[in-house]
Every structure is written in C-alpha cells, then in structure tokens.
Amino acid sequence: MMRNAILRSTATAVASSSARPATRLGFASRPILANAQAQLQMNVQRGQRRMYHEKVIDHYENPRNVGNLPKGDQDVGTGLVGAPACGDVMKLQIRVGEDGVISEVKFKTFGCGSAIASSSYMTERVKGMTLEQAGAVKNTEIAKELSLPPVKLHCSLLAEDAIKSAIKDYQTKRAKRLSTANTPPPTMGTSPSVATA
C-alpha cells in the first residue's frame, strides 16, 4: 500500500514537474522528459499506471556517471548501441588503466526510464572490474537487480551490448597502439651499406 502511494506521488511529481530540464539525460537537442511526461499523463488519464521498482526510479531521478569521456583518448573505449523497435540509444564509455581495470565509466542515454536506469546501474556495476569481468555481466543480472518487467528486458540487453561494444572498441585501439609501438620506425636519409670485396 505504501509502495503504491510512493509510486503514485512520484508519477504525479514527474508528470507535473516543469523545473526539471527536458534535456537532462540525453542528447542535448532531444526533449527526453517532455515525451515521457506526455506519455505518463496519457496513461494516468486512461487509468493505466506502469509501476516501476524503486531502484529504477532512483537511477532515473539520480543517474550515476552521466557524461562523456574524450573519445580520442587511447585508454577510452566507446560503445554506441540502439534499439530500432523502441528508439532507445545508449552510449557507454570506459577508461581502462594499464592494469586492465576499468577506472572510469560514463554514459548518455536517450530512452525510457528503464533504459536510463539500466545504463546508470551498469556504470556502477563495472567500475573497478577487469575487462573480462565487465564483459561477463549479463542483462539478466541487470534486469533482476532493477526488477524490470518482461516488456523492458530489451533495456537491460542494450546495457549489456553497450559494455561489450565499449570493451571491443578499447581492445581495438590497444591492439593498434601496440602494433604501432612494436614496428621499428623507418630510417630516413640513410642507405644500406654495401660491403665491397
């Protein structure tokens, strides 16, 4: 009973809030909350309410690690994934130390509350992990932790795909950097000496 009252008051606050900027979480030119507010208002008018777990609401209202890392940095991997069916787009970036441990994670997501919450949770989950450990995080773990309903499982799958894409991008950059470092520099202005007998 108390939980329903909290969720109802949260839904009403989100639907009527005009203080929150409409571009808080996504790409700067897209009005994320305006669309979510309109959808929520329609559902409330129809008597429908989608009940989100407190953890989803917490990560949506207080997302962790929102932002960007410099894409060109050699120790940064970037994963950009999307779901054409629902329009969610997720960018997740990792910074990896020389020891192979993820030291920093940032994300930006354009999508529903479950997509934002999945991204935010993933950033907290993988920070401090090795690349192998982070790549083993499954969408089912995210969905279970956030208590996502079956209709929102694709949001947790996006987060899994995003971390795998970021790891692959970092590994590609690292392999290229190592192959360049192991290639001897070309000699300029010298000709090979020829022995004469």
Side-chain angles (χ1 to χ4, degrees):
M1 187 69 172
M2 180 66 156
R3 177 176 176 221
N4 289 340
I6 292 170
L7 290 174
R8 254 185 265 116
S9 67
T10 303
T12 304
V14 168
S16 65
S17 172
S18 61
R20 182 178 297 209
T23 59
R24 177 174 162 212
L25 293 176
F27 299 96
S29 64
R30 304 235 179 152
I32 293 171
L33 289 181
N35 189 20
Q37 288 171 347
Q39 184 65 41
L40 183 61
Q41 190 63 34
M42 278 195 312
N43 288 344
V44 170
Q45 287 171 356
R46 289 188 211 142
Q48 302 171 351
R49 288 194 182 97
R50 183 172 281 165
M51 298 297 180
Y52 285 106
H53 192 272
E54 298 91 27
K55 290 180 182 179
V56 172
I57 294 170
D58 180 44
H59 277 280
Y60 174 74
E61 291 181 345
N62 306 298
R64 285 67 150 179
N65 306 307
V66 176
N68 290 313
L69 295 172
K71 189 176 181 177
D73 286 4
Q74 292 299 308
D75 61 344
V76 171
T78 302
L80 182 63
V81 295
C86 66
D88 292 345
V89 178
M90 187 177 296
K91 180 173 86 170
L92 191 136
Q93 294 179 295
I94 56 173
R95 183 177 304 276
V96 183
E98 288 299 319
D99 55 358
V101 173
I102 297 172
S103 61
E104 191 176 5
V105 189
K106 297 287 184 186
F107 85 94
K108 279 195 174 181
T109 293
F110 174 71
C112 66
S114 296
I116 292 166
S118 295
S119 305
S120 177
Y121 174 75
M122 179 62 89
T123 64
E124 286 192 317
R125 181 75 178 93
V126 300
K127 190 173 181 179
M129 288 184 163
T130 64
L131 293 176
E132 186 177 321
Q133 292 168 333
V137 174
K138 297 292 180 202
N139 74 304
T140 51
E141 176 187 338
I142 299 164
K144 184 177 179 181
E145 178 64 27
L146 296 175
S147 300
L148 294 177
V151 72
K152 292 295 183 176
L153 289 180
H154 68 278
C155 297
S156 62
L157 189 57
L158 271 179
E160 179 185 340
D161 291 345
I163 190 65
K164 288 180 178 177
S165 179
I167 291 169
K168 184 177 180 181
D169 181 55
Y170 168 76
Q171 289 173 332
T172 301
K173 281 183 179 179
R174 184 172 188 270
K176 187 175 181 181
R177 186 177 74 231
L178 291 176
S179 70
T180 303
N182 291 335
T183 305
T187 56
M188 298 180 82
T190 59
S191 58
S193 55
V194 179
T196 57

